[in-house]
Amino acid sequence: GYDITLSKSTLKLVGNKTYDNNEKLVIDPKSFSDKYLKDLSVTEEGYFLLPEHSYALGVSVEKFNIPPYVTAIALGKSTYARSGILINVTPLEAGWKGYLTIEIANLTSLPCRVYSEEGIAQLLFFQGERCATSYSERCGKYQAQPSEVVLPKV
Protein backbone atom coordinates (compact mmCIF):
# COMPACT_ATOMS: atom_id res chain seq x y z
CA GLY A 1 0.00 0.00 0.00
CA TYR A 2 0.88 3.65 -0.36
CA ASP A 3 -0.61 6.61 1.54
CA ILE A 4 -1.86 9.45 -0.64
CA THR A 5 -1.81 13.01 0.62
CA LEU A 6 -4.53 15.64 0.28
CA SER A 7 -3.28 18.86 -1.32
CA LYS A 8 -4.27 22.18 0.20
CA SER A 9 -4.17 23.95 -3.16
CA THR A 10 -7.59 23.03 -4.55
CA LEU A 11 -10.53 22.20 -2.29
CA LYS A 12 -14.15 22.60 -3.32
CA LEU A 13 -17.25 22.24 -1.16
CA VAL A 14 -20.09 20.75 -3.20
CA GLY A 15 -23.79 21.57 -2.91
CA ASN A 16 -23.75 23.36 0.43
CA LYS A 17 -24.81 26.86 -0.63
CA THR A 18 -27.93 28.91 -0.11
CA TYR A 19 -29.92 28.97 -3.34
CA ASP A 20 -32.96 30.92 -4.42
CA ASN A 21 -35.93 28.94 -3.08
CA ASN A 22 -37.58 29.04 -6.50
CA GLU A 23 -34.62 27.30 -8.11
CA LYS A 24 -34.84 23.52 -8.01
CA LEU A 25 -31.29 22.24 -8.16
CA VAL A 26 -30.30 18.66 -8.71
CA ILE A 27 -26.73 17.48 -8.99
CA ASP A 28 -26.50 15.62 -12.27
CA PRO A 29 -23.21 13.83 -13.02
CA LYS A 30 -23.99 14.11 -16.75
CA SER A 31 -24.44 17.88 -16.51
CA PHE A 32 -22.37 19.00 -13.54
CA SER A 33 -22.02 22.74 -13.04
CA ASP A 34 -19.44 24.67 -11.07
CA LYS A 35 -22.35 26.69 -9.63
CA TYR A 36 -22.59 23.88 -7.06
CA LEU A 37 -19.03 24.57 -5.86
CA LYS A 38 -17.59 26.81 -3.19
CA ASP A 39 -13.87 27.22 -2.57
CA LEU A 40 -12.58 25.94 0.75
CA SER A 41 -9.56 27.40 2.48
CA VAL A 42 -7.10 25.61 4.71
CA THR A 43 -6.41 27.27 8.07
CA GLU A 44 -2.93 28.08 9.35
CA GLU A 45 -3.24 24.91 11.43
CA GLY A 46 -3.54 22.90 8.20
CA TYR A 47 -7.20 21.87 8.14
CA PHE A 48 -10.50 22.89 6.59
CA LEU A 49 -13.91 22.50 8.16
CA LEU A 50 -16.27 20.16 6.30
CA PRO A 51 -19.89 21.00 7.23
CA GLU A 52 -22.24 18.30 8.43
CA HIS A 53 -23.87 16.09 5.76
CA SER A 54 -21.78 17.59 2.97
CA TYR A 55 -18.94 16.63 0.72
CA ALA A 56 -15.89 18.21 -0.79
CA LEU A 57 -13.56 17.52 -3.69
CA GLY A 58 -9.81 17.68 -3.31
CA VAL A 59 -6.75 16.53 -5.19
CA SER A 60 -3.74 14.43 -4.32
CA VAL A 61 -0.29 15.91 -3.87
CA GLU A 62 1.12 12.89 -5.71
CA LYS A 63 1.03 12.35 -9.45
CA PHE A 64 0.57 8.76 -10.64
CA ASN A 65 1.54 6.84 -13.75
CA ILE A 66 -0.01 3.38 -13.47
CA PRO A 67 1.64 0.68 -15.60
CA PRO A 68 -0.56 -1.30 -18.05
CA TYR A 69 -0.37 -4.42 -15.84
CA VAL A 70 -1.32 -2.75 -12.53
CA THR A 71 -4.63 -1.52 -11.10
CA ALA A 72 -4.93 0.35 -7.81
CA ILE A 73 -7.84 1.00 -5.48
CA ALA A 74 -8.03 3.50 -2.64
CA LEU A 75 -9.40 3.00 0.83
CA GLY A 76 -10.00 5.74 3.38
CA LYS A 77 -7.75 5.92 6.43
CA SER A 78 -9.26 4.44 9.59
CA THR A 79 -8.93 7.63 11.64
CA TYR A 80 -11.21 9.47 9.21
CA ALA A 81 -13.58 6.50 8.88
CA ARG A 82 -13.95 6.34 12.66
CA SER A 83 -14.76 10.08 12.63
CA GLY A 84 -17.61 9.67 10.14
CA ILE A 85 -15.63 10.79 7.10
CA LEU A 86 -15.94 8.70 3.97
CA ILE A 87 -13.11 8.94 1.44
CA ASN A 88 -13.83 7.80 -2.09
CA VAL A 89 -11.44 7.56 -5.00
CA THR A 90 -12.39 5.56 -8.06
CA PRO A 91 -9.95 2.85 -9.22
CA LEU A 92 -6.68 3.85 -10.82
CA GLU A 93 -6.97 1.80 -13.97
CA ALA A 94 -4.09 0.16 -15.79
CA GLY A 95 -2.45 2.83 -17.95
CA TRP A 96 -4.00 5.82 -16.15
CA LYS A 97 -1.87 8.81 -15.17
CA GLY A 98 -2.44 12.09 -13.40
CA TYR A 99 -3.37 13.56 -10.03
CA LEU A 100 -6.26 11.96 -8.17
CA THR A 101 -9.49 13.81 -7.50
CA ILE A 102 -10.53 12.79 -3.99
CA GLU A 103 -14.12 12.82 -2.75
CA ILE A 104 -14.52 13.53 0.98
CA ALA A 105 -17.97 13.05 2.55
CA ASN A 106 -18.98 14.04 6.07
CA LEU A 107 -21.62 11.50 7.12
CA THR A 108 -22.14 13.04 10.55
CA SER A 109 -24.47 15.73 11.88
CA LEU A 110 -21.47 17.78 13.06
CA PRO A 111 -18.75 19.70 11.21
CA CYS A 112 -15.46 17.83 10.90
CA ARG A 113 -11.87 18.93 10.47
CA VAL A 114 -10.07 17.44 7.50
CA TYR A 115 -6.32 17.93 7.39
CA SER A 116 -4.39 18.71 4.22
CA GLU A 117 -0.85 17.64 3.44
CA GLU A 118 -1.40 14.49 5.51
CA GLY A 119 -2.47 10.98 4.55
CA ILE A 120 -6.11 10.86 3.49
CA ALA A 121 -6.34 7.40 1.91
CA GLN A 122 -4.23 4.37 1.13
CA LEU A 123 -3.73 2.89 -2.33
CA LEU A 124 -3.55 -0.86 -2.79
CA PHE A 125 -1.85 -2.07 -5.96
CA PHE A 126 -2.73 -5.25 -7.82
CA GLN A 127 -0.42 -6.64 -10.47
CA GLY A 128 -1.70 -8.94 -13.19
CA GLU A 129 -1.40 -9.60 -16.87
CA ARG A 130 -1.09 -6.63 -19.18
CA CYS A 131 -4.64 -5.54 -19.96
CA ALA A 132 -5.93 -5.86 -23.52
CA THR A 133 -6.63 -2.12 -23.79
CA SER A 134 -5.21 0.23 -21.16
CA TYR A 135 -6.86 3.43 -20.00
CA SER A 136 -4.35 5.49 -21.98
CA GLU A 137 -4.85 3.39 -25.12
CA ARG A 138 -8.61 3.91 -25.03
CA CYS A 139 -8.11 7.64 -24.36
CA GLY A 140 -10.07 7.62 -21.10
CA LYS A 141 -11.80 10.91 -20.30
CA TYR A 142 -9.91 11.43 -17.03
CA GLN A 143 -6.44 10.70 -18.45
CA ALA A 144 -3.64 13.11 -17.50
CA GLN A 145 -5.63 14.95 -14.82
CA PRO A 146 -3.97 18.19 -13.69
CA SER A 147 -3.19 19.04 -10.07
CA GLU A 148 -6.66 20.53 -9.54
CA VAL A 149 -10.14 19.17 -8.93
CA VAL A 150 -11.57 17.59 -12.07
CA LEU A 151 -15.37 17.66 -12.30
CA PRO A 152 -17.56 14.88 -13.73
CA LYS A 153 -17.38 14.45 -17.50
CA VAL A 154 -19.69 12.67 -19.92
Side-chain angles (χ1 to χ4, degrees):
Y2 177 82
D3 282 2
I4 58 172
T5 309
L6 180 64
S7 173
K8 68 178 182 180
S9 65
T10 307
L11 293 161
K12 304 283 185 184
L13 182 65
V14 181
N16 198 341
K17 292 183 179 180
T18 303
Y19 295 103
D20 179 351
N21 289 334
N22 296 325
E23 186 179 12
K24 301 243 181 200
L25 293 180
V26 175
I27 293 180
D28 183 348
K30 293 186 176 185
S31 180
F32 197 91
S33 171
D34 62 1
K35 71 181 176 181
Y36 306 126
L37 303 177
K38 176 183 174 188
D39 289 335
L40 289 171
S41 298
V42 173
T43 66
E44 288 183 17
E45 293 82 14
Y47 68 85
F48 67 90
L49 205 56
L50 186 57
E52 61 276 3
H53 304 296
S54 65
Y55 85 98
L57 298 173
V59 67
S60 66
V61 168
E62 301 83 4
K63 184 177 183 179
F64 296 93
N65 189 359
I66 306 299
Y69 52 86
V70 172
T71 296
I73 58 171
L75 299 171
K77 305 279 284 176
S78 63
T79 299
Y80 281 113
R82 294 168 197 227
S83 300
I85 299 296
L86 176 69
I87 305 299
N88 186 47
V89 176
T90 55
L92 288 72
E93 295 183 44
W96 178 84
K97 65 180 174 182
Y99 293 87
L100 289 173
T101 295
I102 302 167
E103 299 84 12
I104 308 159
N106 182 352
L107 305 177
T108 76
S109 58
L110 299 170
C112 186
R113 289 181 181 175
V114 177
Y115 291 84
S116 65
E117 298 186 341
E118 292 184 10
I120 191 81
Q122 185 176 65
L123 293 181
L124 301 176
F125 297 91
F126 299 92
Q127 183 174 338
E129 303 280 324
R130 188 185 196 294
C131 61
T133 306
S134 72
Y135 196 82
S136 61
E137 292 167 337
R138 67 181 163 94
C139 301
K141 61 186 171 184
Y142 296 109
Q143 183 68 305
Q145 290 186 155
S147 61
E148 59 190 39
V149 168
V150 175
L151 300 178
K153 299 177 184 180
V154 177

